[in-house]
């Protein structure tokens, strides 16, 4: 454990709440303590109400906030004395508990308080910190975990048996703490759950947490159960792995009932774990802590038999649902973690963010399992306890806060020529609809074009099959498959009459505008075929297909040939549930090709103002890259679900095309 306390920074804090924010962030910076919204902290303050009366208020972390980035607004201020009175009730249902917490806040805009607010209230210290420290869980999740904890800490901590979070846990802790705590008590260990520390000030509470967890780490080190060197494993690459991932994603999506992201994490660490001879034993005990279940499911899938996994999940639900206090509706039975000897660790989520959270949680779970195994055997809580949290409405509500899913949530799109103009706009339109988007361009700036978990920008020369195959492999590794392909990359050479057109120029245009797109379609076909909702291809063509102009022979011929290629593909791929449609934009001037100088020169050539030149079409309207991109995105959506082999102009109405 590293003590990150900095007196200089702490002294800049104006009051107790600012110090609470500061020390909470210190805890959040250490991923071995808390991950993705885990843990909670609080501070008790005296404030004056509207009547000038002093009132004790508990500021406790609000639901949805992360300790690493929490701000003062992330703490819910609740009347402390009322919370203490609640703790004296003989029983309190979860919905009513939340109702009481929310209705006794002193700020209407505050987030819903942590379900452990009452527990924080009954601990008689101004500052209280709670984490799910890996080292603590590694020890408690063993056959003799409680005995080990007592040997490590003696009277320094109060030990609490596992109780489901909420009111019942607060009641148990209140009884145990008042009976067992002494003047030298530093903390409280909740078996299979985590650890509390507390103090008279922020620094004392924080440093007690660091010290207590550090003692657990030292215990693990002294028992050769801390660090493990993975066996150097060969990481499988190539077509077989890519197609295996795509099939896995298709099967998982089918079981889930919606498209998912599958992110492969293949390295020495994950492969060593997945290839252990005892993996079917150590990885099938249950999650490190019960709250992980809403992200990871109770068990990972070993191998790739999704149908068998879903069947077992159904049995798990059928066995435990009748024991619940109220009736439950089964969640989707698809796995969220896959351990496979060839693929390593695959993390699955409805979104890229969800998949990354799963990957982080299981990365720490592997450490916990290995350490507990070295201590004599990893042991998670019984399935019934995990089921109760998985189907606990208060936990499920955390996931429901995301609202209605975006149109392309869980789907993957690849856009070529994506660094500017229509391609860049297509990236924006697809991201806005929830897709994970891979952007390819010859321009290196594509890699830093967006700071978004759903975005992967790769510099790629599409005339190089080797470069594209590397890019496709990265796409499948990161997201698991491919659903949508937008063929936008191309070049428009300077005007040249046929009698002056050199073979090299002709071949260059054909290589980029036609040959590269043939290669992309051919190599992407097998992945589009495994798109959960069917594959979609949108070709960004040109007005020059139906209405070519003089001086554009190579460009017009390449786009016409691409149009024919798309039509043939539509005929051939319909049975694979892949639809292919084309757009024919014209006079789209908000691209890198059209500078103000070029625009002015072209307008003068036609005797028009710049604005008149931009709107020189039947509808007298300007066509932008976004207009084309929005229609391209819609062509991938349900509006065009029964359309393939079509072409549609986006030109404001061109009299020659009409």
């Amino acid at each position: 454990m590293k003590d990150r306390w900095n007196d200089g920074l702490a002294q800049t804090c104006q009051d107790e709440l600012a110090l609470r924010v500061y020390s909470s962030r210190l805890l959040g910076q250490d991923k071995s303590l808390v991950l993705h919204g885990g843990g909670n902290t609080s501070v008790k303050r005296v404030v004056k109400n509207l009547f000038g009366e002093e009132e004790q208020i508990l500021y406790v972390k609000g639901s949805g906030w992360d300790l690493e980035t929490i701000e003062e607004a992330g703490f819910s201020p609740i009347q402390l004395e009322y919370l203490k009175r609640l703790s004296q009730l003989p029983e309190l249902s979860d919905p009513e508990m939340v109702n009481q917490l929310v209705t006794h806040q002193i700020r209407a805009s505050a987030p819903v308080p942590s379900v452990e607010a009452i527990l924080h209230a009954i601990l008689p210290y101004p500052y209280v910190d709670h984490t799910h420290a890996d080292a603590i869980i590694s020890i408690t999740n063993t056959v003799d975990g409680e005995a080990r904890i007592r040997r490590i800490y003696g009277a320094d901590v109060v030990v609490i048996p596992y109780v489901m979070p909420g009111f019942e846990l607060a009641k148990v802790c209140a009884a145990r703490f008042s009976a067992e705590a002494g003047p030298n008590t530093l903390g409280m260990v909740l078996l299979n759950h985590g650890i509390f520390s507390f103090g008279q000030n922020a620094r004392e509470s924080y440093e007690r947490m660091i010290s207590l967890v550090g003692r657990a780490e030292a215990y693990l080190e002294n028992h050769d159960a801390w660090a493990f060197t993975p066996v150097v494993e060969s990481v499988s690459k190539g077509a077989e792995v890519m197609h295996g991932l795509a099939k896995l994603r298709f099967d998982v999506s089918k079981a889930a009932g919606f498209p998912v992201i599958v992110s492969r994490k293949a390295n020495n660490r994950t492969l060593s774990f997945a290839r252990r001879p005892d993996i079917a034993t150590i990885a099938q005990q249950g999650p490190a802590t019960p709250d992980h279940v809403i992200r990871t499911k109770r068990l990972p899938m070993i191998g790739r038999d999704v149908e068998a996994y879903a069947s077992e999940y159904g049995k798990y639900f059928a066995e435990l649902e009748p024991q619940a206090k109220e009736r439950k509706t089964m969640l989707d039975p698809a796995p969220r973690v896959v351990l496979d000897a060839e693929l390593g660790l695959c993390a699955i989520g409805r979104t890229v963010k969800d998949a990354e959270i799963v990957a982080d949680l299981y990365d720490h779970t592997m450490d916990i399992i290995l350490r507990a195994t070295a201590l004599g055997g990893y042991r998670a809580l019984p399935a019934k306890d995990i089921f109760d949290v998985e189907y606990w409405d208060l936990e499920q509500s955390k996931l429901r806060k995301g609202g209605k899913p975006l149109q392309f949530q869980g789907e993957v799109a690849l856009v070529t020529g994506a660094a500017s103009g229509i391609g860049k706009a297509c990236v924006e339109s697809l991201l806005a609809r929830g897709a994970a988007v891979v952007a390819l361009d010859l321009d290196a700036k594509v890699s830093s074009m967006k700071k978004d978990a759903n975005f992967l920008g790769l510099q790629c020369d599409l005339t190089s099959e080797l470069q594209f195959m590397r890019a496709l492999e990265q796409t499948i590794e990161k997201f698991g498959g491919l659903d949508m392909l937008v063929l936008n990359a191309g070049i428009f050479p300077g005007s040249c009459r046929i009698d002056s057109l050199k073979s090299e120029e002709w071949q260059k245009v054909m290589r980029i505008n036609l040959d590269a797109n043939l290669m992309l379609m051919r190599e992407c076909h097998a992945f589009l075929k495994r798109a959960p909702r069917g594959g979609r291809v949108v070709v960004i063509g040109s007005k020059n297909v139906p209405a070519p102009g003089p001086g554009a022979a190579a460009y017009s011929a390449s786009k016409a040939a691409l149009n024919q290629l798309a039509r043939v593909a539509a005929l051939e791929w319909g049975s694979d549930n892949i639809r292919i449609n084309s757009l024919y934009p014209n006079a789209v001037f908000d691209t890198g090709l059209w500078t103000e100088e070029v625009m002015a020169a072209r307008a003068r050539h036609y005797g028009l103002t710049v604005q008149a030149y931009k709107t020189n079409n039947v509808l007298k309207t300007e066509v932008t890259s976004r207009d084309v991109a929005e229609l391209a995105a819609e062509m991938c959506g349900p509006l065009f679900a029964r359309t393939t082999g079509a072409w549609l102009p986006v030109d404001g109405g061109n009299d020659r095309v009409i």
Side-chain angles (χ1 to χ4, degrees):
M1 279 283 101
K2 180 181 179 181
D3 187 339
R4 291 180 166 86
W5 188 272
N6 182 299
D7 276 330
L9 292 175
Q11 287 169 8
T12 66
C13 298
Q14 300 298 313
D15 54 29
E16 303 101 319
L17 185 55
L19 277 167
R20 177 69 287 174
V21 171
Y22 170 66
S23 61
S24 297
R25 288 183 173 185
L26 294 183
L27 295 173
Q29 289 168 16
D30 192 328
K31 302 308 177 189
S32 71
L33 293 176
V34 291
L35 282 170
H36 300 293
N40 41 67
T41 58
S42 68
V43 61
K44 301 174 179 74
R45 302 177 68 199
V46 175
V47 300
K48 284 188 177 181
N49 61 26
L50 287 176
F51 305 102
E53 302 164 340
E54 290 190 339
E55 190 173 14
Q56 285 193 311
I57 302 297
L58 174 76
Y59 287 78
V60 65
K61 192 195 89 167
S63 179
W65 284 80
D66 194 296
L67 288 181
E68 185 177 12
T69 56
I70 198 166
E71 301 170 1
E72 290 190 8
F75 285 91
S76 305
I78 320 170
Q79 295 168 320
L80 180 60
E81 290 306 315
Y82 191 81
L83 290 175
K84 290 180 178 179
R85 289 182 64 193
L86 287 178
S87 73
Q88 301 302 313
L89 292 173
E91 59 182 33
L92 184 64
S93 70
D94 292 332
E96 186 56 39
M97 178 186 71
V98 173
N99 177 60
Q100 293 300 318
L101 297 182
V102 171
T103 55
H104 286 80
Q105 294 183 141
I106 62 170
R107 190 176 78 241
S109 62
V112 175
S114 165
V115 296
E116 290 169 347
I118 296 175
L119 173 50
H120 280 259
I122 58 98
L123 291 171
Y125 302 89
Y127 285 83
V128 177
D129 295 346
H130 171 43
T131 73
H132 303 148
D134 290 353
I136 298 293
I137 303 299
S138 298
I139 296 167
T140 64
N141 288 26
T142 58
V143 175
D144 53 352
E146 180 176 353
R148 290 178 184 273
I149 290 293
R150 293 190 183 280
R151 285 199 295 273
I152 295 168
Y153 297 111
D156 289 347
V157 303
V158 174
V159 180
I160 306 295
Y162 176 76
V163 179
M164 188 169 170
F167 183 71
E168 288 304 316
L169 176 60
K171 293 283 288 183
V172 170
C173 288
R176 285 288 190 104
F177 195 83
S178 61
E180 300 179 21
N184 298 321
T185 299
L186 306 175
M188 183 168 64
V189 172
L190 279 56
L191 300 179
N192 303 93
H193 183 153
I195 182 171
F196 278 78
S197 65
F198 23 73
Q200 296 303 315
N201 55 64
R203 181 171 187 171
E204 182 176 57
S205 185
Y206 167 76
E207 291 189 336
R208 283 179 173 179
M209 176 65 71
I210 299 304
S211 175
L212 289 168
V213 177
R215 286 161 69 176
E217 291 182 345
Y219 178 87
L220 290 166
E221 284 188 291
N222 291 336
H223 288 76
D224 297 322
W226 177 247
F228 303 92
T229 303
V231 177
V232 177
E233 300 282 0
S234 58
V235 179
S236 301
K237 297 280 188 180
E240 187 176 340
V241 170
M242 286 198 296
H243 291 296
L245 268 171
K247 184 179 187 306
L248 174 64
R249 175 176 178 256
F250 180 83
D251 292 342
V252 172
S253 298
K254 181 179 178 182
F258 48 81
V260 298
I261 297 296
V262 177
S263 182
R264 183 192 184 202
K265 311 295 181 182
N267 50 51
N268 287 340
R269 175 177 159 76
T270 59
L271 287 166
S272 289
F273 189 80
R275 292 173 183 175
R276 283 180 62 108
D278 59 351
I279 189 64
T281 300
I282 64 172
Q284 297 293 284
Q285 304 299 312
T289 68
D291 58 304
H292 286 187
V293 71
I294 65 170
R295 294 287 189 180
T296 66
K297 296 287 189 181
R298 187 175 80 90
L299 301 174
M301 181 172 75
I302 309 296
R304 306 183 203 178
D305 192 340
V306 179
E307 188 175 343
Y309 182 94
S311 176
E312 287 301 314
Y313 184 89
K315 294 175 184 176
Y316 155 77
F317 180 83
E319 177 185 347
L320 296 173
E321 191 275 340
Q323 302 176 40
K325 294 178 181 178
E326 65 278 328
R327 299 285 61 80
K328 306 290 184 182
T329 300
M330 192 174 86
L331 301 171
D332 76 83
R336 295 299 188 272
V337 177
V338 176
L339 297 171
D340 182 82
E342 182 180 44
L343 300 179
L345 167 66
C346 293
I348 298 164
R350 287 175 176 260
T351 66
V352 175
K353 181 181 178 181
D354 289 343
E356 290 304 315
I357 289 175
V358 169
D360 285 347
L361 291 176
Y362 208 78
D363 183 67
H364 285 258
T365 297
M366 287 191 296
D367 277 337
I368 291 168
I369 291 175
L370 291 173
R371 290 167 183 165
T373 300
L375 288 181
Y378 175 72
R379 186 177 72 174
L381 288 166
K384 174 65 168 62
D385 290 316
I386 305 303
F387 180 90
D388 288 343
V389 174
E390 183 176 5
Y391 284 87
W392 188 24
D393 190 62
L394 297 187
E395 286 288 0
Q396 291 299 312
S397 66
K398 294 180 182 179
L399 297 182
R400 289 196 296 268
K401 286 181 180 178
K404 184 179 178 180
L406 294 172
Q407 185 179 78
F408 295 148
Q409 180 175 289
E411 296 195 281
V412 185
L414 189 151
V415 181
T416 66
S420 62
I422 293 172
K424 185 176 181 180
C426 285
V427 169
E428 298 284 354
S429 294
L430 291 163
L431 284 172
R433 287 164 171 78
V437 181
V438 180
L440 304 185
D441 202 285
L442 191 59
D443 192 332
K445 72 181 180 183
V446 72
S447 61
S448 56
M449 195 170 78
K450 299 285 293 183
K451 299 294 183 185
D452 190 316
N454 289 322
F455 176 80
L456 175 63
L458 300 173
Q459 183 181 18
C460 181
D461 180 354
L462 295 176
T463 64
S464 167
E465 187 170 334
L466 178 61
Q467 285 191 36
F468 175 70
M469 291 307 296
R470 286 174 180 167
L472 184 58
E473 185 171 10
Q474 287 180 261
T475 299
I476 306 305
E477 287 255 336
K478 187 171 179 63
F479 301 128
L482 182 64
D483 303 89
M484 295 166 274
L485 176 63
V486 180
L487 298 175
N488 170 69
I491 58 170
F492 189 94
S495 179
C496 181
R497 293 172 59 88
I498 292 174
D499 52 35
S500 301
L501 183 58
K502 296 183 181 301
S503 296
E504 308 89 78
E505 185 65 26
W506 170 272
Q507 291 163 1
K508 178 182 177 182
V509 174
M510 289 295 170
R511 189 166 62 252
I512 296 172
N513 290 2
L514 179 61
D515 299 348
N517 286 315
L518 168 64
M519 183 267 295
L520 262 73
M521 291 173 66
R522 182 186 69 228
E523 299 303 330
C524 290
H525 169 260
F527 300 102
L528 294 167
K529 186 177 178 179
R530 288 200 169 109
R533 290 176 177 162
R536 284 138 283 168
V537 181
V538 176
V539 176
I540 306 299
S542 170
K543 175 271 298 182
N544 282 37
V545 174
Y555 178 79
S556 300
S558 68
K559 287 294 186 178
L562 178 58
N563 178 64
Q564 288 296 86
L565 179 65
R567 293 172 68 193
V568 173
L571 292 170
E572 294 179 353
W573 294 359
S575 59
D576 295 326
N577 198 24
I578 301 171
R579 47 193 170 92
I580 305 170
N581 295 294
S582 301
L583 293 177
Y584 291 169
N586 184 47
V588 181
F589 298 117
D590 60 338
T591 68
L593 295 175
W594 292 92
T595 63
E596 291 183 9
E597 293 78 10
V598 171
M599 185 78 70
R602 296 306 296 165
R604 283 195 303 271
H605 177 77
Y606 287 100
L608 300 170
T609 65
V610 169
Q611 184 59 29
Y613 182 66
K614 286 182 177 180
T615 58
N616 189 23
N617 52 53
V618 173
L619 294 176
K620 301 301 179 186
T621 186
E622 184 176 350
V623 180
T624 68
S625 293
R626 185 176 185 277
D627 296 326
V628 181
E630 284 292 289
L631 189 49
E634 286 302 320
M635 278 189 154
C636 294
L639 272 177
F640 287 82
R642 291 164 180 80
T643 302
T644 193
W647 64 270
L648 189 62
V650 192
D651 56 12
N654 181 283
D655 54 357
R656 292 178 59 219
V657 171
I658 293 172

